[in-house]
Structures are given as C-alpha cells and as structure tokens.
C-alpha cells in the first residue's frame, strides 16, 4: 500500500458545506474501507469553519487532507475543484452525508482492473433515513450515442456518479456546469458526458448507502415554486444537449433536440420529472430551443443548427412534424411579431385559440380556449414584447376564477422582471375587466410578466366537474403603447399611483400595493370552458 497522497491509486473527493450533522460519520466510513490505497481530499465550501472543525480529528491519518474554501464555490464548483486535483488513476466522489460498505472501494477497483473498457464502476444504492428505497442502474454498454441516450432515459442516472471513475475519462468529459440554482440535476446531465467516453458498469449488490433527510438538496428542489422548477428543468435539458451534440454530426442535431424534448416532456409516471409539461406544449419547446441557441457553450453548434432549421422550414413548406422544427417555427413567429410590436404596428396580443398571444406565454398556463387562457397552478408567466421607448402603458383584460359570492376574494400578485409591482384583488363575480400598469423599461425589448395566484381553485372543488386544473386568472388580451415621457398614468379607481413601476429595484416599489379593479367590463362567463 502506498502512503503517498500523490501516488495513491484512488483519490476520494468529499465536498462539504453545512455538514456538521453527518460529516464525522461519513469520514469514519471512508476510514473503515478494506481497500487502503487511497487519499482523501476534503473541500469545505464557503469558509464553513464548524464543519471543518469536525473534520480535524481525521487529519491524523496522513492520507486525509482538508482545504477550506474562502468563498462559496457551490456544489458543482466544489466538485470541479476536487476533480481537478485528482492525482490517482481513479476518482471517487463521496457525498458528505453518505456511507458505504467496507468492501465498497475494493469491489469497484477489482472490477475496473478486470474491465479496462469501463470508465466507471458503481454499486447498487440503498436509500435510508427519511426515505427507504433501492436504486439499481443497469450497466450502460454499446456505442457512445446509444449509451448516452440510454442513460438520459433512466431515473437512476445519478447512481454512476456515486461510483469509481477513471481520471482520464473525467478530464475528457470536462467540468460540471456551474452557476445555476443549487447545481440542480447537474450530476445527471454530466454523467452523459462520461458515458460518451466509455462504458459504465454495474457491480451488483448494495454497497453504497445514501442518506435521506429533510435538509437534502434534492428535497429543496421538489419544494421550489413552479417557475424555479421549470427553469431548472430547462437548464437540465440544455446539459443533455451539450453532452449529445459533441458526438453527432450536424444533420442529426435536430433529432437530438427532439430526443431531449421527449425526455423533458415524458408523461408523468413513465419517468421522473422535476417539472411536468405536455409533449404538445410548443411554448415549452420554443423556450427550450431558444435557451439552447443562446447557450455560450453551444455557440458553434447553435449557428449550424439555426441554419439547418431555417433550411428545413423553407424546404418543408411549413411542415412541423419534428418538435424541434415546430419550436423553431414558433420562435420565428415570436421574433417577427415582436418586431412589429417594437415598431408600433401591433398594439395588443390576443390570447384566445388562434390568437397572436399564445406564442409569448411561458409556463403555468392551460391550453388556449376560444375566449382566452386560464392559468393552471400558482404561477404563470408571459414573456411580453414591448414597443420601443423608455415607458410602456399596459392594459390587461382578465378575470379571476372561482368566486361564488361576495364573501370571497381572489388575490393575484404581479411581477415584472422579478420585481413585485402589486396585487390584483377580485372580490366579487365580475366579467373580465381592464387592469392598467406602467413600466419604465429602460429600452428593453421584452418584460417577463409573472402572475402569482394566492388561492387558485379547481372546478372539481366547486361542484360536479372532472376538471382538476388549478385555475387562477383568465387572460384574454394585453394591450400596450409606448407612453410619452413624463406620463404618470390614468387616474383610474383602484390603481395606486405610487406604483411608478420601473423595472428596477428601488425603495418606491419595495412594498406590495393592492390594486382594485376599475369599473369597465367586457363579457366572458366566469367559468372554465
């Protein structure tokens, strides 16, 4: 057995942050391994001195080393730091709260020695604590593309990340992506890049024990509001594309987008989803494709893909059987209409079925109906194109769902580009009415308008109905004009004029203001069509 950290066969990387409850037990599990030719590098993130103090006793073993990061790297950044300092032929990621059988390393090293074609060996995972389950990921063999696609479709794609990986394969795969919220799902996206480099082999039997507890990061993901889960799911999809684009020729990249969209929109129950959306949701597909085309890491691929899709759209005379091509068609329509809005040639968007507004809807909406569209859930968004100018005058024609009598009210909070502007309060059964806001846009071409429903309700909860959608606000139309400089807004009943509504964070909009509906109304039944 080697006593040198730099010559040890296996480098074990342990990223730590706020790990005081379990880190000592985890390090004991490493110390108790029957296989001894390893070094341990513990990276304590964000200057977490309390966790670092609990690691100190293990430094008496010369194979253990502790580094305290002075700033916050984040989970993915900390893992990248550890991987980049791997000195052994193999790297083993070890989560700060997990345990392993004493023969865990011995079994995996033995398998890798006998199977040089395997870039990763991993065992079955037993969940314990707050959640009891067993995770088994079958071996992933075959050609590189088939390996990556097989792993993309697996609920248990995270399992190989908890195994033993060859250092040269890690270097070829490149670092994990950083910067997105809590590094959500990044292990499941990155492992596809590793699968491109070689086979992933299962070593049968439970050897790794994954602790489930209330502070676990993936539990935080599940509790995120819908907008955060949607954004994280889209970002995960881009990670899958990054892994797949590197191994397919340009002519097949549209098929890759189709395959990733099929994974992201798979029916609930068929495969795990952080965010549930329908396969026919062109709005989601368009947002995904837009994100792919705008990702710096995909810039070269994106230019080729854009040109290929433009040619296909022309050659196919509008044929959109491919979800990717349909999404590209929607993006082209968005761009064209946004230009007409910017120039002042279009002064409103209609959100009825077949209307102009549907392509600008983000997440949180039901299907378009002949009159307009209902929100479904507690959050819904519109990526709204704006006329050129420093200020924009917006009129929303909408109503709330579910008010049965005068004793009830429905509350909808409104945000623009992340800044809360106020609340719309519906206190009685009314037909759709107009709600006016003004935005100081600083010349921005679009604004992300978000609606946060405090009390959505399902039709099935109000009477005989099989409709379980959580309906909140019914949106029919948004009208807009570039407001002249200095315009302070119409003095309408219920519109608090303190809402100067700049798209900037300043003290004037720090507190929520109630906006009561004015007295003009158009016609629409207060029901879900």
């Amino acid at each position: 057995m080697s006593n040198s950290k730099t010559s040890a066969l296996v480098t074990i990387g342990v990223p730590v942050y706020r790990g005081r409850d379990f880190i000592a037990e985890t390090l004991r599990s490493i110390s108790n391994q029957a296989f001894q030719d390893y070094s341990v590098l513990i990276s304590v993130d964000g200057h977490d001195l309390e966790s670092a103090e609990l690691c100190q006793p293990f430094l008496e073993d010369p194979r253990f080393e502790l580094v305290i990061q002075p700033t916050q790297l984040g989970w993915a950044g900390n893992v990248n730091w550890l991987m980049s300092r791997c000195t052994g032929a193999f790297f083993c990621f070890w989560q700060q709260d997990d345990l392993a059988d004493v023969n865990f390393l011995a079994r995996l090293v033995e398998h890798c020695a006998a199977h040089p074609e395997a870039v990763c060996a991993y065992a079955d995972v037993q969940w314990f604590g707050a959640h009891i389950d067993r995770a088994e990921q079958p071996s992933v063999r075959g050609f590189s593309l088939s390996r990556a696609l097989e792993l993309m479709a697996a609920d248990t794609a995270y399992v190989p990340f908890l195994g033993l990986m060859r250092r040269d394969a890690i270097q070829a795969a490149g670092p994990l992506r950083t910067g997105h919220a809590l590094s959500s799902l990044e292990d499941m996206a990155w492992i596809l890049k590793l699968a491109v480099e070689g086979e992933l082999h299962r070593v049968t039997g439970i050897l790794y024990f994954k602790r489930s507890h209330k502070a676990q990061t993936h539990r935080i993901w599940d509790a995120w509001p819908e907008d955060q889960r949607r954004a994280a799911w889209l970002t995960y999809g881009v990670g899958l594309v990054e892994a797949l684009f590197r191994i397919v020729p340009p002519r097949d990249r549209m098929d890759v987008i189709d395959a990733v969209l099929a994974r992201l929109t798979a029916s609930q129950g068929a495969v795990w989803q952080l965010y549930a959306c329908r396969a026919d949701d062109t709005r989601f597909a368009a947002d995904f494709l837009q994100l792919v085309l705008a990702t710096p890491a995909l810039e070269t691929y994106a230019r080729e893909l854009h040109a290929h899709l433009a040619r296909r759209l022309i050659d196919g005379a509008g044929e959109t059987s491919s979800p990717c091509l349909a999404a590209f068609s929607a993006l082209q329509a968005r761009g064209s209409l946004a230009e007409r809005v910017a120039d002042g040639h279009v002064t409103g968007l209609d959100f009825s079925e077949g209307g102009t507004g549907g392509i600008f809807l983000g997440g949180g909406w039901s299907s378009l109906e002949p009159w307009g569209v209902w929100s479904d859930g507690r959050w819904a968004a519109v990526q709204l194109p704006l006329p050129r100018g420093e200020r924009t005058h917006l009129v929303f024609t909408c109503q709330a769902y579910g008010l049965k009598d005068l004793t009830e009210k429905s509350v909808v909070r409104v945000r623009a580009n992340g800044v809360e502007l106020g609340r719309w309060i519906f206190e009685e059964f009314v037909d759709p009415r107009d709600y006016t806001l003004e935005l100081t846009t600083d010349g921005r071409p679009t604004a992300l308008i978000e609606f946060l429903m405090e009390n959505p309700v399902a039709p099935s909860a109000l009477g005989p109905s099989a409709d379980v959608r959580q309906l909140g606000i019914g949106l029919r139309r948004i009208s807009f004009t570039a407001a002249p400089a200095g315009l302070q807004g119409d003095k309408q009943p219920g519109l608090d004029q303190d809402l100067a509504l700049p798209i900037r964070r300043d003290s004037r909009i720090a507190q929520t203001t109630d906006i009561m509906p004015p007295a003009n109304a158009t016609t629409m039944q207060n029901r879900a069509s």
Side-chain angles (χ1 to χ4, degrees), residues 249-296:
R251 67 177 182 274
D252 293 336
R253 289 182 186 136
M254 186 177 79
D255 295 332
V256 165
I257 298 293
D258 286 345
V260 174
L261 279 171
R263 169 63 183 94
L264 297 179
T265 61
S267 59
Q268 288 181 280
V271 67
W272 177 83
Q273 291 177 292
L274 179 63
Y275 173 80
C277 54
R278 303 185 311 275
D280 62 351
D281 188 347
T282 303
R283 302 189 298 259
F284 178 87
D287 287 347
F288 174 65
L289 181 59
Q290 186 173 39
L291 190 57
V292 168
L293 294 174
T295 297

Side-chain angles (χ1 to χ4, degrees), residues 347-395:
T347 59
L349 299 175
D350 177 10
F351 293 90
S352 63
E353 187 176 4
T356 55
I359 56 177
F360 295 102
L361 293 175
W365 300 98
S366 187
S367 300
L368 299 178
E369 301 184 37
W371 57 265
V373 63
W374 286 111
S375 64
D376 184 2
R378 293 186 173 274
W379 167 86
V382 182
Q383 189 69 48
L384 190 65
L386 300 174
R388 290 188 177 91
E390 294 299 312
R391 298 172 68 94
T392 299
H393 186 79
L394 302 176
V395 179

Side-chain angles (χ1 to χ4, degrees), residues 1-15:
M1 180 189 76
S2 170
N3 291 320
S4 170
K5 294 175 184 176
T6 58
S7 61
L9 184 65
V10 177
T11 300
I12 300 174
V14 186

Side-chain angles (χ1 to χ4, degrees), residues 209-386:
F209 298 90
K210 187 156 190 61
R211 190 189 306 268
S212 174
H213 55 91
K214 62 181 180 181
Q216 206 157 29
T217 302
H218 80 271
R219 286 173 170 261
I220 298 174
W221 302 342
D222 292 337
W224 277 345
E226 184 177 358
D227 57 329
Q228 283 186 270
R229 286 185 286 110
R230 187 179 194 267
W233 197 231
L234 288 167
T235 302
Y236 163 65
V238 172
L240 300 178
V241 170
E242 286 187 23
L244 294 168
F245 267 17
R246 60 204 292 177
I247 55 172
V248 297
R251 67 177 182 274
D252 293 336
R253 289 182 186 136
M254 186 177 79
D255 295 332
V256 165
I257 298 293
D258 286 345
V260 174
L261 279 171
R263 169 63 183 94
L264 297 179
T265 61
S267 59
Q268 288 181 280
V271 67
W272 177 83
Q273 291 177 292
L274 179 63
Y275 173 80
C277 54
R278 303 185 311 275
D280 62 351
D281 188 347
T282 303
R283 302 189 298 259
F284 178 87
D287 287 347
F288 174 65
L289 181 59
Q290 186 173 39
L291 190 57
V292 168
L293 294 174
T295 297
L298 295 170
E299 182 178 1
T300 301
Y301 303 129
R303 287 197 299 267
E304 296 173 348
L305 178 63
H306 189 283
H308 176 72
L309 292 174
R311 288 194 301 269
R312 283 291 300 269
L313 205 58
I314 294 172
D315 295 344
E319 181 270 328
T320 55
S321 60
S322 159
C324 178
L325 202 57
F328 184 72
S329 177
L331 284 182
Q332 295 291 87
R334 276 186 193 176
S336 176
L337 188 53
E339 279 298 315
R340 296 177 65 199
V341 169
D343 291 338
H345 299 309
V346 173
T347 59
L349 299 175
D350 177 10
F351 293 90
S352 63
E353 187 176 4
T356 55
I359 56 177
F360 295 102
L361 293 175
W365 300 98
S366 187
S367 300
L368 299 178
E369 301 184 37
W371 57 265
V373 63
W374 286 111
S375 64
D376 184 2
R378 293 186 173 274
W379 167 86
V382 182
Q383 189 69 48
L384 190 65
L386 300 174

Side-chain angles (χ1 to χ4, degrees), residues 375-415:
S375 64
D376 184 2
R378 293 186 173 274
W379 167 86
V382 182
Q383 189 69 48
L384 190 65
L386 300 174
R388 290 188 177 91
E390 294 299 312
R391 298 172 68 94
T392 299
H393 186 79
L394 302 176
V395 179
F396 298 79
T397 303
C398 54
Q399 76 172 84
Y401 178 78
L403 302 180
K404 294 183 293 185
D405 54 49
L406 295 177
T407 67
E408 295 186 349
K409 67 178 181 179
S410 181
V411 179
V412 178
R413 292 158 47 211
V414 185
R415 294 194 307 213

Side-chain angles (χ1 to χ4, degrees), residues 30 210 260 420 508:
I30 296 174
K210 187 156 190 61
V260 174
E420 187 160 321
R508 292 179 299 157

